[in-house]
Amino acid sequence: MRVVFMGTPDFSVPTLMEIVGQGHEVVAVYSQPPRPAGRGMEERKTPVHQAADQLGLPVFTPTSLKSEEEQEKFRALDADVAVVVAYGLLLPKAILDAPHEGCLNLHGSLLPRWRGAAPIQRAIMAGDAETGVQVMRMDEGLDTGDICMSETIPITEQMTAEDLHDKMMVLGADLMVRALGALSRGLLTSRPQAEEGVTYAKKIDKAESRIDFSMSAKEVHNIIRGLSPFPGAWVMMTIRGKEQRVKLLRSELADGAGVPGTLLDDAMTIACGEGAVRLAKLQRAGKGAMNADEFLRGADLTIGDVIT
């Protein structure tokens, strides 16, 4: 099939690679424009843009698809289908209608639960037992299109957003090429989303990432793993007489009780409003991630200290 691929982050790359590997003709790749990044703030191409360059595919990086000029350029590609994976730009109706078979989106949840920007993080933060990836026919709504194909993924108690992201992007790539195979044979069917159970995965606000130990241990644990590694849940600790911001990257539920935020033992167990969590992986500002024992060797924390 003649495919236009639209995607931006690492999550999108396996799907692009699978589509090319399955012999489909990718006539163009759309991605977000290069942006300043790194210490030198040099313009850096997105992961999808870099992958497309390696494959020798033409890449377009408009800042908007609302102009008639951009829409005409898109229509001129004469695509059978557009595949959209975490692209990051709104697709106007003229774009949605341009490919002969419409636009297929790969979404990281079991719709209608977690429509929106951060479905991976929100599913873990909410303590969901499962999630999934779905191929959806796009319409003008926010993740409201009909569902074509689905795969369910269990969320284990220790799974972080990074773990789930990596599992989803591989499974999602396979799901999308299966959907394209069915579409090419005229066998891809779809069903409307359920009207009940709609939830929205709003973008993560920085204010949400500071841990409040007055919450239950389970809530704290879910937030830590749901925000790991980015943007990263964090607390303030007094280390060698100086208040420092510390990211919490992995944790586990633990036994213990005390004033919320109190360090209960020499294994980084912290009291919560109900129960306790053991901080398993931490990162001080300007340093690499460390396991708890390594972190404690470089800090002067003592049992009874309160972490905020």
Side-chain angles (χ1 to χ4, degrees):
M1 302 191 77
R2 287 176 61 85
V3 178
V4 171
F5 186 84
M6 311 178 85
T8 294
D10 289 321
F11 185 83
S12 316
V13 173
T15 305
L16 173 61
M17 303 300 286
E18 280 292 315
I19 290 171
V20 172
Q22 291 295 319
H24 296 287
E25 180 186 3
V26 178
V27 295
V29 172
Y30 278 71
S31 195
Q32 292 277 331
R35 292 193 171 93
R39 291 188 177 180
M41 296 302 286
E42 294 181 2
E43 286 207 336
R44 184 179 299 170
K45 294 177 179 179
T46 69
V48 164
H49 193 156
Q50 294 175 45
D53 283 348
Q54 292 171 2
L55 293 167
L57 301 172
V59 181
F60 300 114
T61 59
T63 57
S64 171
L65 293 167
K66 294 179 181 178
S67 71
E68 179 57 38
E69 179 183 358
E70 286 295 342
Q71 292 171 11
E72 183 52 44
K73 183 190 295 186
F74 190 89
R75 280 191 290 268
L77 294 169
D78 192 31
D80 292 318
V81 64
V83 171
V84 184
V85 186
Y87 177 38
L89 278 187
L90 178 70
L91 302 191
K93 190 173 189 304
I95 297 292
L96 294 172
D97 292 344
H100 305 304
E101 299 286 351
C103 300
L104 298 180
N105 174 246
L106 182 68
H107 185 76
S109 79
L110 297 176
L111 295 164
R113 186 161 177 79
W114 303 128
R115 293 174 178 171
I120 293 175
Q121 293 93 333
R122 294 294 176 192
I124 294 177
M125 291 169 73
D128 290 1
E130 66 178 19
T131 185
V133 282
Q134 294 185 317
V135 173
M136 170 186 65
R137 284 194 177 276
M138 296 182 72
D139 59 20
E140 291 183 88
L142 176 63
D143 298 328
T144 56
D146 291 354
I147 304 303
C148 303
M149 299 178 75
S150 298
E151 287 282 358
T152 300
I153 302 171
I155 301 177
T156 62
E157 191 175 87
Q158 295 304 119
M159 184 177 276
T160 65
E162 182 177 40
D163 299 333
L164 182 54
H165 167 282
D166 292 352
K167 191 176 186 73
M168 269 190 186
M169 71 179 185
V170 174
L171 188 58
D174 177 70
L175 189 68
M176 182 59 78
V177 294
R178 283 192 274 139
L180 288 180
L183 182 65
S184 69
R185 299 189 299 273
L187 300 175
L188 187 65
T189 59
S190 59
R191 57 174 174 79
Q193 293 184 33
E195 295 182 6
E196 296 180 353
V198 176
T199 58
Y200 289 93
K202 66 178 181 177
K203 188 176 179 180
I204 303 296
D205 188 296
K206 287 183 179 179
E208 297 178 83
S209 58
R210 184 166 187 171
I211 289 296
D212 176 2
F213 286 109
S214 69
M215 296 187 296
S216 72
K218 191 166 186 178
E219 289 173 308
V220 170
H221 175 59
N222 289 344
I223 292 172
I224 290 171
R225 62 198 185 100
L227 297 181
S228 178
F230 183 82
W234 61 277
V235 294
M236 297 300 295
M237 296 186 188
T238 302
I239 299 174
R240 303 195 184 282
K242 182 181 177 182
E243 277 240 305
Q244 296 190 33
R245 180 169 166 153
V246 179
K247 275 189 178 184
L248 312 179
L249 300 176
R250 283 192 183 270
S251 61
E252 56 191 44
L253 298 175
D255 294 327
V259 175
T262 302
L263 180 63
L264 298 177
D265 58 24
D266 58 3
M268 286 303 292
T269 302
I270 313 295
C272 298
E274 180 184 328
V277 292
R278 181 170 294 115
L279 305 181
K281 195 170 187 179
L282 309 90
Q283 183 176 15
R284 290 163 63 179
K287 297 186 178 292
M290 304 177 190
N291 291 330
D293 56 351
E294 182 183 6
F295 178 87
L296 283 169
R297 285 198 294 271
D300 56 348
L301 298 175
T302 58
I303 295 171
D305 284 353
V306 176
I307 294 168
T308 59

